[in-house]
Amino acid sequence: MEEHLKLLSYLESFLTTRRKELFKKVIAKRTNHFTVATQDVYQLHNTSAVIRSCDVFGVQNVHVVEEVNVKKIDREIAMGAQKWVDINRYTSTQSCVKSLRKNGYRIIATSPHEGTLLQDFDISQPAALFFGTETKGLSQEVLEEADEFLQIPMVGFTESLNISVSAAIILQSLSSRLRNSDINWQLTQEEQVMKQIDWARKNLKNYAEILTRFEATQ
């Protein structure tokens, strides 16, 4: 940990004061208490928009299942969010669910028709929020694996929302409640330091050269 702190301090000497303060401000609001998983989303811009919402609302990790529809993240739609959010990619739903359960997450299937209403959702335990395809929603595999279903209350004639809109609404609501709670939702100090090092690496074009100079001083 001490070595990582030294490295971070060294890297920060190459960043502007504004950038350093921004990193500190953002990392303090980041969480892994909630994470998001998208399953075979057909429209590329929808996955990218979900990633952007995760960044905006402080969710550090996104899990992208590409079992059927293999796409590259749309850089224009994500607007750089993929640089600051960790994207974990899977070629099967099973491997994604298994990994999330191993890390202590409940599997939450979002649904337009059934489940716990958003405002009543229990935020005390870590949860992985699954969002499905635009036409068919989540697969039967996810529905069977789900520990709970979650829905956004709707009162109009329209029966469902676009996946990116649904994700934004849910993340805004849950992240706001989380930050106003007594739950220990923040990243650990070590996680914060490692993530700031990663952000600095992505921000410094001559990172490899700077790292070599740092290692030479140790």
Side-chain angles (χ1 to χ4, degrees):
M1 182 62 177
E2 183 179 350
E3 188 69 17
H4 291 145
L5 284 170
K6 288 181 181 179
L7 174 57
L8 177 59
S9 178
Y10 187 77
L11 294 176
E12 286 181 334
S13 68
F14 295 91
L15 300 174
T16 64
T17 300
R18 180 179 179 277
R19 179 62 66 173
K20 286 188 292 184
E21 291 305 314
L22 181 59
F23 280 1
K24 291 177 182 178
K25 178 182 177 182
V26 172
I27 199 64
K29 300 294 184 181
R30 283 299 207 235
T31 188
N32 279 324
H33 188 80
F34 292 132
T35 192
V36 167
T38 63
Q39 184 190 34
D40 282 318
V41 176
Y42 181 74
Q43 294 293 337
L44 179 59
H45 67 270
N46 280 330
T47 298
S48 299
V50 170
I51 292 170
R52 186 179 176 190
S53 290
C54 286
D55 178 42
V56 167
F57 297 115
V59 173
Q60 185 56 44
N61 274 272
V62 183
H63 305 265
V64 180
V65 178
E66 299 170 300
E67 198 164 8
V68 178
N69 302 315
V70 180
K71 302 279 187 178
K72 291 183 178 180
I73 302 302
D74 189 322
R75 294 178 182 274
E76 183 177 350
I77 298 297
M79 295 185 70
Q82 74 280 359
K83 188 175 181 179
W84 313 116
V85 172
D86 295 321
I87 302 172
N88 307 274
R89 309 182 90 142
Y90 307 83
T91 55
S92 76
T93 299
Q94 183 180 20
S95 61
C96 179
V97 170
K98 184 178 180 180
S99 175
L100 289 168
R101 284 205 186 282
K102 183 179 179 181
N103 286 293
Y105 286 103
R106 291 180 298 152
I107 304 302
I108 308 300
T110 59
S111 169
H113 305 299
E114 62 178 317
T116 304
L117 293 177
L118 180 57
Q119 65 268 27
D120 298 325
F121 183 72
D122 179 9
I123 64 171
S124 64
Q125 299 299 316
L129 309 164
F130 271 76
F131 296 88
T133 62
E134 295 84 346
T135 53
K136 297 181 179 180
L138 290 167
S139 70
Q140 189 62 33
E141 184 175 6
V142 172
L143 299 181
E144 291 175 357
E145 285 281 358
D147 298 302
E148 189 174 346
F149 290 79
L150 175 65
Q151 66 171 315
I152 298 170
M154 293 181 283
V155 297
F157 293 106
T158 303
E159 294 186 351
S160 64
L161 292 167
N162 175 277
I163 173 182
S164 60
V165 175
S166 295
I169 291 173
I170 290 173
L171 291 178
Q172 192 283 329
S173 174
L174 296 186
S175 64
S176 178
R177 288 173 56 199
L178 192 64
R179 291 183 179 88
N180 287 315
S181 74
D182 295 326
I183 298 168
N184 183 20
W185 54 266
Q186 291 176 297
L187 302 182
T188 65
Q189 183 185 10
E190 184 174 2
E191 288 172 333
Q192 291 188 30
V193 169
M194 294 305 294
K195 186 43 55 183
Q196 287 181 88
I197 290 174
D198 181 50
W199 288 347
R201 176 183 64 80
K202 293 174 179 176
N203 198 75
L204 297 169
K205 293 182 179 179
N206 57 335
Y207 173 77
E209 179 185 337
I210 292 173
L211 182 60
T212 299
R213 274 185 276 166
F214 169 76
E215 291 173 342
T217 65
Q218 301 306 299

